[in-house]
Amino acid sequence: MTSTTTHTGTDGRVTVRISDPGELIAAVPHLLSFRPGPSVVLLNHAGAKERRILPVIRADLPDESFEPDAVRELVRRLLRHPGAGVTVVIIGCRPGHRAPPGEVPHKQLAGLLVRALDDVGRPVDHALWVPEIRAGVPWRCYLDDCPPGVLPDDRDTVMAAAMATRGWVTYDSREEMSRLLDPDDPAAIERRQRMLDAAVDRLAEAPAPEAIAAAMGHFGAEESAAHLSVVRAALARAEAGDLDLSDEDVVSLAMALSNLEVRDRCLRTAEPPGEPASNAAERLWLELVRRTPPPERAEPAVLLGYSAYRRGDCVLAGLAFDNALTARPGHRLAELLDLCLDRQIPPAALSRLSHPNGGAPMANTP
């Protein structure tokens, strides 16, 4: 019997339907964008018919004395989203945990979650345990409503192929994912810092009102038009697969994105989420995060985070907002979006930032 099927809609979107619990567990790394270590994961089934999974909520396995508090926090986060049911997946064991012979590890935690979710009207479809997410690893069910099984190779599933087709990458760990944002070359960063300092000094030599406005991220119409032109050219190159940025490219883009009007218009490049044009823009923002010195790095970092948030990759979004706040402490947009992420605001609710006046977002350019 086929337990995983795909359907390609008229808009080109691929829908993956999974009915086997083992394949649902194998989908977790792709849904999170990284392979989790010991964790408790809630898969929220957002619709009664389609059972679309949104969001995926993950937390480290808590110590036994903190399990009730951890359950309350997980349920609180889940209830920020509409849903018709939940799948609970517990991965691995916390250090020192020993399950009684014949019992599934962390049975108490699973029971607390099942009862708490049932109390708030979110029935648990499956409650599953697996020691790790690797091919051939056996999994078990806490509710005994399905026989145990063995995980498929998550890298060879239909889900993996669908994600790869969309250009999404699954990393072996959260740490590997976080290294994506590391600077590309310290010597190059220093070189570009000197170039940026010289460019900022030239701005400071402008007449006082213009210099003060530029320091606050506000520029005149002529400068804004020039900055938009720089960004549009880089986006067009990124969509063509060209992310080879010279020092001059990085500096000119950093200066363009320091124009808050231009930076805010670049939020539109996240629409529609996960499509080729918005994926290309996200790759450009990532390259700029890696290549741009602080504090200017904060602007591409917040754009990267926003794009990741809009397409549902909340882990990358959080890493990007942290990066922005490290580069420029007190960055207002990064603080706002990080607060939205912390409070589990649904990604769709952010679309007003992309087109705040209610009109349709621009296709692939700010």
Side-chain angles (χ1 to χ4, degrees), residues 181-238:
L181 281 66
D182 288 349
D184 64 341
D185 177 6
I189 294 292
E190 290 183 12
R191 187 172 63 246
R192 295 166 196 148
Q193 182 68 73
R194 291 192 295 271
M195 295 171 67
L196 274 166
D197 288 344
V200 171
D201 288 344
R202 288 193 294 272
L203 278 177
E205 294 171 0
E210 288 84 352
I212 293 171
M216 297 176 64
H218 303 292
F219 293 79
E222 185 175 339
E223 292 88 348
S224 292
H227 289 159
L228 279 171
S229 179
V230 167
V231 174
R232 283 173 171 154
L235 286 166
R237 287 172 53 191

Side-chain angles (χ1 to χ4, degrees), residues 93-333:
C93 295
R94 67 170 180 268
H97 177 77
R98 295 290 184 272
E103 285 196 7
V104 184
H106 293 294
K107 187 173 183 179
Q108 175 179 288
L109 174 61
L112 289 172
L113 278 166
V114 170
R115 289 190 294 273
L117 289 165
D118 187 63
D119 287 345
V120 296
R122 294 290 180 90
V124 172
D125 292 352
H126 295 290
L128 310 167
W129 179 82
V130 66
E132 60 176 329
I133 301 180
R134 298 285 179 186
V137 170
W139 59 267
R140 297 174 66 183
C141 179
Y142 288 104
L143 303 180
D144 295 326
D145 59 353
C146 53
V150 174
L151 289 187
D153 189 337
D154 61 275
R155 297 166 298 183
D156 293 333
T157 59
V158 174
M159 183 71 171
M163 299 296 274
T165 299
R166 303 285 290 178
W168 294 4
V169 178
T170 301
Y171 298 91
D172 280 337
S173 67
R174 192 178 189 277
E175 291 70 28
E176 181 188 6
M177 192 175 184
S178 68
R179 289 195 292 271
L180 281 177
L181 281 66
D182 288 349
D184 64 341
D185 177 6
I189 294 292
E190 290 183 12
R191 187 172 63 246
R192 295 166 196 148
Q193 182 68 73
R194 291 192 295 271
M195 295 171 67
L196 274 166
D197 288 344
V200 171
D201 288 344
R202 288 193 294 272
L203 278 177
E205 294 171 0
E210 288 84 352
I212 293 171
M216 297 176 64
H218 303 292
F219 293 79
E222 185 175 339
E223 292 88 348
S224 292
H227 289 159
L228 279 171
S229 179
V230 167
V231 174
R232 283 173 171 154
L235 286 166
R237 287 172 53 191
E239 196 166 353
D242 180 6
L243 291 169
D244 186 15
L245 302 172
S246 67
D247 285 353
E248 290 75 13
D249 291 332
V250 173
V251 170
S252 62
L253 283 163
M255 295 299 293
L257 294 177
S258 68
N259 183 330
L260 296 186
E261 178 187 351
V262 172
R263 192 277 315 275
D264 289 350
R265 291 185 66 173
C266 284
L267 296 171
R268 305 180 189 186
T269 63
E271 307 295 337
E275 293 300 311
S278 53
N279 285 343
E282 188 172 314
R283 288 192 292 270
L284 174 62
W285 309 141
L286 175 59
E287 283 300 310
L288 287 173
V289 169
R290 297 178 62 247
R291 297 171 187 242
T292 307
E296 288 83 4
R297 180 185 298 145
E299 307 308 340
V302 79
L303 291 171
L304 171 66
Y306 178 74
S307 178
Y309 196 165
R310 281 290 290 123
R311 65 176 174 81
D313 190 339
C314 295
V315 177
L316 179 57
L319 292 171
F321 298 146
D322 287 346
N323 192 288
L325 290 167
T326 299
R328 190 188 292 274
H331 191 288
R332 293 180 65 184
L333 182 56

